Amino acid sequence: MKLLLIDDEAPVREILGLSLRSEGYEVMTAASGKEGIEIFRRENPPIVLTDIKMPGMDGIEVLKKIKQINPETEVIIITGHGDMDLAIQSLQFEASDFITKPIKDEALAVALKRAKEKLEMKQRLKEYTTNLENKVKEAIEELRIKEMQLFQSKKLAALGTLLAGVAHELNNPLSNISTSCQILLEEIENTDLDFRKHFLKQIEEQTDKARNIIRSLLEFSRQKEFEKETLNLKDIIQETMSFIRGQVPARVEIRVEVPESINIYADKQRIQQAFLNIITNAIQSIPNEGIISIKAEVDEDKGFVNIKFKDTGVGIKPEILPRIFDPFFTTKEVGKGSGLGLFVTHEIIERHGGRITVKSKVGEGTSFLVQLPLRKRAYEQ
Ligand SMILES: Nc1ncnc2c1ncn2[C@@H]1O[C@H](COP(=O)(O)OP(=O)(O)OP(=O)(O)O)[C@@H](O)[C@H]1O
Ligand SMILES: [Mg+2]
């Protein structure tokens, strides 16, 4: 093991050097603190023995310097008889030990043994820590893989549900169209214009329905990239409202309380689609008179724009609440709702780095909270 001995007195270097070499140490010697530091930098010995009182750089300075260069080094201080203060000071700077001059072999042996033990312990601790770190890294990697697998299988399951739903949903309008065509073909010669019109209308409606399902699904597929831009929230909501103005019955009042100052960073068409789905549901949830309120505020702390859609409709039963974002989940009568509205909305909000949550009470109403990241944050998405 390498050992550096720093002492300005040549006889000490010689005698101590000899006895240390006989103990099996590879001893390097320096006659001053400055020289000692030079050698230390070059050789990086794990143990340093330094005299405390030396002209120029003293032992305390040497100790501080060495600890700075390599804090793991064990530094043993050699002190004279009256140097108790200095010795104590050296311990404060993390000297491993001190021995007094004249140096007794046993005292030196004990100090060296302790230093070596400390070094060994540190080494073992280091190995242990690296080992632990590696184990943690492995565990994290394993978790990541598991998570990915889980995600994949979840996605597959969702896809399965989705495909089953698509097949089922498309089957209805298609068989309807097919039946209408058959009837028309069979009866076309013996029937009047109204009869034929009725069936053609039916075919048109069912085709529309099928087309809407396909459109919603295309929305879901990742083909079309999102094009985000800065949009004024109030403008966007007002524009969305103009799409449905004709469908809002007079008994339903819609209140928009959105400050003009709020901007969002979003894909215009998609975000309007998301808002539209929520508002349409709200309108459909109000059987008689009712109010829909749309409020927005900025939460600087959390970095979100919060948009709340609240209705005084029938509310959602707690047992179906967890399912309303599922594809094809609907409580509306056959032919009315496809159950894709909230599924698509959820997807759109998520892909803006936002989230959508819902609270509802049967008989009181429902409120949806859409949280979109503030533009600063949205940029990082
Ligand atoms: N504001 C609301 N009030 C009460 N129930 C709601 C509300 N919003 C959603 N729901 C419930 O969640 C279900 C799913 O909504 P979603 O918009 O996904 O489908 P849908 O409205 O049934 O059909 P679609 O929107 O495809 O025409 C609805 O059928 C309804 O039961
Ligand atoms: Mg809907």
Side-chain angles (χ1 to χ4, degrees):
M1 185 181 276
K2 278 185 192 172
L3 186 153
L4 172 62
L5 170 62
I6 311 172
D7 199 309
D8 56 324
E9 291 168 60
V12 176
R13 288 199 303 272
E14 259 161 46
I15 296 168
L16 207 55
L18 254 168
S19 93
L20 286 168
R21 275 189 194 101
S22 73
E23 292 291 323
Y25 289 97
E26 187 186 324
V27 183
M28 294 158 278
T29 55
S32 71
K34 196 163 161 279
E35 192 195 343
I37 296 298
E38 271 165 29
I39 296 176
F40 181 79
R41 275 194 205 282
R42 207 171 51 229
E43 301 287 340
N44 195 24
I47 301 179
V48 176
L49 256 150
T50 178
D51 191 15
I52 206 158
K53 272 194 176 153
M54 293 182 289
M57 191 187 258
D58 70 10
I60 302 270
E61 285 305 308
V62 170
L63 167 66
K64 282 199 238 170
K65 197 89 203 163
I66 283 176
K67 285 285 174 180
Q68 220 175 48
I69 301 168
N70 183 358
E72 310 269 281
T73 317
E74 294 297 329
V75 182
I76 299 168
I77 305 284
I78 307 168
T79 68
H81 251 317
D83 302 335
M84 217 42 195
D85 279 356
L86 280 175
I88 289 169
Q89 214 182 322
S90 70
L91 287 182
Q92 281 167 353
F93 291 113
E94 282 170 37
S96 358
D97 217 335
F98 61 86
I99 47 175
T100 42
K101 269 183 188 171
I103 297 164
K104 288 201 194 83
D105 275 352
E106 299 110 73
L108 181 62
V110 169
L112 282 172
K113 189 169 165 250
R114 270 205 291 229
K116 271 206 275 190
E117 275 169 4
K118 270 199 225 162
L119 281 170
E120 238 168 62
M121 213 130 84
K122 273 189 221 162
Q123 183 59 31
R124 246 186 279 157
L125 200 68
K126 218 174 175 176
E127 275 165 19
Y128 185 71
T129 320
T130 345
N131 208 337
L132 208 67
E133 270 170 11
N134 285 341
K135 283 229 170 85
V136 169
K137 261 189 219 148
E138 270 168 34
I140 289 176
E141 179 61 17
E142 211 168 287
L143 255 175
R144 211 182 52 81
I145 292 172
K146 284 248 168 71
E147 196 183 279
M148 224 160 64
Q149 286 168 341
L150 192 71
F151 179 68
Q152 286 297 343
S153 68
K154 260 194 178 163
K155 234 167 85 175
L156 279 182
L159 198 67
T161 324
L162 194 69
L163 285 180
V166 174
H168 179 77
E169 286 299 309
L170 285 180
N171 206 30
N172 281 341
L174 284 178
S175 53
N176 211 311
I177 292 168
S178 156
T179 314
S180 300
C181 283
Q182 268 170 25
I183 296 174
L184 265 181
L185 280 173
E186 278 167 22
E187 307 286 337
I188 200 147
E189 269 144 30
N190 329 322
T191 52
D192 60 16
L193 206 58
D194 277 349
F195 182 89
R196 292 176 219 159
K197 263 194 184 159
H198 168 79
F199 281 96
L200 282 173
K201 253 222 124 59
Q202 185 99 344
I203 290 171
E204 195 187 20
E205 269 176 34
Q206 295 299 320
T207 314
D208 269 351
K209 202 183 159 210
R211 189 188 294 129
N212 280 337
I213 291 167
I214 302 281
R215 197 176 290 150
S216 299
L217 287 173
L218 284 180
E219 187 67 58
F220 179 66
S221 81
R222 305 219 160 199
Q223 307 292 2
K224 226 170 90 199
E225 276 307 306
F226 272 49
E227 279 164 27
K228 293 184 199 160
E229 56 185 320
T230 301
L231 302 166
N232 182 269
L233 182 61
K234 190 170 188 181
D235 290 349
I236 282 296
I237 289 185
Q238 243 135 25
E239 205 182 304
T240 311
M241 302 287 296
S242 70
F243 297 153
I244 43 165
R245 194 145 292 145
Q247 297 163 34
V248 186
R251 59 191 165 77
V252 176
E253 185 193 336
I254 302 187
R255 295 179 188 161
V256 181
E257 287 170 51
V258 176
E260 299 204 349
S261 57
I262 301 182
N263 287 338
I264 54 171
Y265 188 62
D267 180 301
K268 187 176 173 193
Q269 214 192 327
R270 253 92 166 214
I271 208 75
Q272 283 189 321
Q273 172 81 58
F275 293 164
L276 196 68
N277 291 346
I278 299 172
I279 299 168
T280 311
N281 283 344
I283 296 171
Q284 291 167 344
S285 80
I286 299 174
N288 305 307
E289 262 126 58
I291 300 163
I292 297 169
S293 79
I294 305 170
K295 289 185 188 171
E297 58 171 23
V298 172
D299 183 345
E300 284 281 355
D301 287 347
K302 297 222 171 74
F304 277 120
V305 174
N306 292 343
I307 312 158
K308 197 176 231 175
F309 301 82
K310 194 162 182 256
D311 66 58
T312 59
V314 291
I316 306 170
K317 287 189 201 133
E319 61 266 32
I320 66 161
L321 204 59
R323 297 174 59 197
I324 60 171
F325 294 104
D326 289 354
F328 299 111
F329 177 81
T330 179
T331 56
K332 288 162 193 169
E333 50 187 285
V334 183
K336 276 275 166 59
S338 69
L340 283 174
L342 285 180
F343 171 67
V344 168
T345 301
H346 186 266
E347 180 71 10
I348 292 174
I349 304 293
E350 290 247 302
R351 284 177 65 186
H352 279 87
R355 51 188 186 217
I356 176 167
T357 45
V358 59
K359 278 190 191 143
S360 188
K361 236 188 187 145
V362 174
E364 281 182 25
T366 305
S367 82
F368 281 90
L369 175 65
V370 172
Q371 296 181 286
L372 292 173
L374 282 174
R375 177 163 187 171
K376 253 197 307 199
R377 287 262 226 100
Y379 257 136
E380 292 156 15
Q381 285 293 315

